[in-house]
Amino acid sequence: MNVLLTGVTGYIGGRMLPVLLDEGHTVYACVRDKLRFPPQYRDHPNLRIVEVDFMNPDFSTLPSDIDAAYYLIHSMTTSLTHFDEAEERQARSFTEYMNHTRVRQVIYLSGITAGEHLSQHLSSRKRVGEILAGGNYALTILRAAIISGAGSASFEIMYDLVDKLPVMIGPDSLNNECQPIGVVNVVYYLKEVLLNEATFGQTFDIGGPEILTYRKMLEIIAEVRHLKRRIYTVNWISARLAAHWFYFITSASYKLAVNLSDSMKNNVICQENRIRELIPQPLLTFRQTVEMALEKIASDNVLTSWKDSFSSSGLNYKLSQHWKVPEHGVQTYEVSRDVAVSRDEVLRRIWETGGTHGWWYANWLWKARGLLDLFDKGVGMRGRTNKEELSPGDALDFWRVLIADKLGGRLLLYAEMVMPGQGWLDFQLTEKNGKLVLTQKATFRPHGWKGRLYWLSTMPLHHFIFHGMIRKLTTPASLVK
């Protein structure tokens, strides 16, 4: 059958794509930017890539012979106050488009929205469901609380808190209850409701086998990691103060931290469990999902991560808008050096840059820049999903990968840190006079006098860092001091 899948570059959508392809469906994968599509699936015979932005859709480019569709779009990290307006607009556009197709079913993954005083995030999720319900098709809604698994925003925030804080003092909301569900269970439910007529026009709460407090989940992560942690709660820490705590300690963006912290004021527990009889499966405990996630992280096998979506930066642009580095009206700093190691070795080093490995030279300065970015409500040092491989669209600390071409010997990064201008960092391998040469070039397009002052103030650091970095990248390890 023909299945339309939105949110392909997101956490859940990225996991649904291989599942649907393995099931033999023809998948119309909707992305805002074709360059960000996962490269490992591009040549699949049952795949059709569709470039569309449901904020301003062009329906003429969209297919009409659709049997079912997954709505996995959200905008929680695009704004602190108006993301619900963006979500409404996208839902209305999607519904209008669906009404011009032959689609029989739309499947929507929402949040558990029980209670009267919902957070803005949960209220928006509920409103999107109401809009989608107005279409000329059968709507199936699956409502989940925290989705636990390697790469999920909620799990990584809790993981970072446990990893970095021996003693935690948090808000009373840590004692609120939640019914977390493993990502593998979520994906199975999403697969099994597809054109299952028993689910048409139905809303199901999906959750794991346990009801836990947020505090207990943190304690379980600590136990699995064999870490001793003390957690205290006080009533004077507001949701906004807690958000700052999450933001500075974890890899969450400021907007995500604020909206998730606000959502913690609600108990998110399944109100019914009908789907367990309709679609039976072994439900993983939270401890089991943590153990599985840690195995994935240790083996560098995290399939999708929230940080690689543009939601981790709160920015909205196409990679193609920036992959051509400007040459006029810019400031540049460039260093080149003959490579004294093999081509494969220098490429390996370049591709392992950032994240837990670091930036090869004066890593404390890179961390300091990331900390400054956090104080400016930027992305900070987000890390990276895969320790060895990079693809266009991947997050790399406070950069975004634009080009990752090992065959051509080029890695191009675009700056997502807060600064008065735009920045690019380019690594290129070339041959000159029979020798392999690595060129490392920073390009900055300043915005006004503040941008020019910023560049001038960082010039000494560029000189210090770049020369040390390129020496580490190109010199045999035994000769590097």
Side-chain angles (χ1 to χ4, degrees), residues 325-387:
V325 182
E327 298 178 355
H328 304 289
V330 297
Q331 304 291 333
T332 62
Y333 189 87
E334 179 178 323
V335 293
S336 294
R337 187 181 175 95
D338 291 349
V339 176
V341 295
S342 68
R343 187 179 193 276
D344 288 344
E345 174 62 15
V346 72
L347 285 172
R348 181 192 66 79
R349 295 180 184 184
I350 293 171
W351 254 249
E352 289 183 355
T353 297
T356 56
H357 187 281
W359 287 82
W360 294 98
Y361 189 75
N363 203 48
W364 65 274
L365 283 174
W366 293 91
K367 290 181 178 180
R369 181 62 183 89
L371 185 60
L372 287 175
D373 199 51
L374 287 179
F375 279 105
D376 215 4
K377 295 184 172 60
V379 298
M381 298 291 273
R382 283 173 296 196
R384 52 184 289 173
T385 300
N386 191 290
K387 296 177 183 177

Side-chain angles (χ1 to χ4, degrees), residues 61-255:
T61 66
L62 299 171
S64 60
D65 56 338
I66 299 298
D67 298 302
Y70 286 90
Y71 190 81
L72 303 174
I73 299 172
H74 71 84
S75 304
M76 185 170 63
T77 58
T78 59
S79 170
L80 293 179
T81 56
H82 301 297
F83 69 86
D84 49 350
E85 297 174 9
E87 292 198 330
E88 273 200 40
R89 181 173 174 178
Q90 290 174 108
R92 293 187 187 282
S93 295
F94 181 85
T95 302
E96 181 184 352
Y97 160 50
M98 285 291 110
N99 286 340
H100 290 85
T101 70
R102 71 178 193 191
V103 69
R104 294 177 57 201
Q105 180 193 29
V106 169
I107 301 165
Y108 169 47
L109 180 61
S110 182
I112 293 177
T113 53
E116 297 180 358
H117 304 289
L118 297 176
S119 67
Q120 186 180 14
H121 163 53
L122 292 178
S123 294
S124 180
R125 297 279 80 196
K126 183 178 181 180
R127 178 59 182 151
V128 167
E130 293 168 351
I131 294 170
L132 295 176
N136 300 327
Y137 46 75
L139 177 66
T140 301
I141 301 177
L142 302 182
R143 307 193 308 178
I146 281 181
I147 298 176
S148 179
S152 85
S154 299
F155 173 79
E156 292 202 3
I157 286 174
M158 291 189 289
Y159 179 91
D160 282 351
L161 289 172
V162 170
D163 184 59
K164 298 174 181 177
L165 296 177
V167 178
M168 297 179 228
I169 301 176
D172 273 346
S173 56
L174 287 179
N175 294 316
N176 288 343
E177 293 182 324
C178 178
Q179 194 165 350
I181 182 170
V183 64
V184 294
N185 294 134
V186 173
V187 169
Y188 186 80
Y189 279 137
L190 286 169
K191 175 175 73 75
E192 291 299 310
V193 300
L194 179 61
L195 289 185
N196 182 337
E197 294 189 1
T199 69
F200 284 11
Q202 299 292 312
T203 297
F204 301 95
D205 287 353
I206 59 174
E210 309 160 295
I211 295 174
L212 304 170
T213 64
Y214 294 99
R215 175 175 177 166
K216 183 60 179 177
M217 287 188 282
L218 291 168
E219 290 172 346
I220 289 174
I221 294 174
E223 290 169 8
V224 173
R225 298 198 60 211
H226 306 290
L227 297 173
K228 292 183 178 181
R229 294 294 183 258
R230 295 186 180 275
I231 305 172
Y232 303 96
T233 58
V234 293
N235 58 16
W236 50 264
I237 296 181
S238 65
R240 184 56 63 94
L241 184 59
H244 283 82
W245 180 51
F246 294 157
Y247 171 62
F248 279 105
I249 298 299
T250 76
S251 57
S253 69
Y254 180 70
K255 295 170 186 176

Side-chain angles (χ1 to χ4, degrees), residues 148 209-210 220 224 283-293:
S148 179
E210 309 160 295
I220 289 174
V224 173
L283 294 173
L284 300 176
T285 66
F286 183 71
R287 183 180 296 272
Q288 288 173 318
T289 66
V290 171
E291 290 170 344
M292 290 176 62

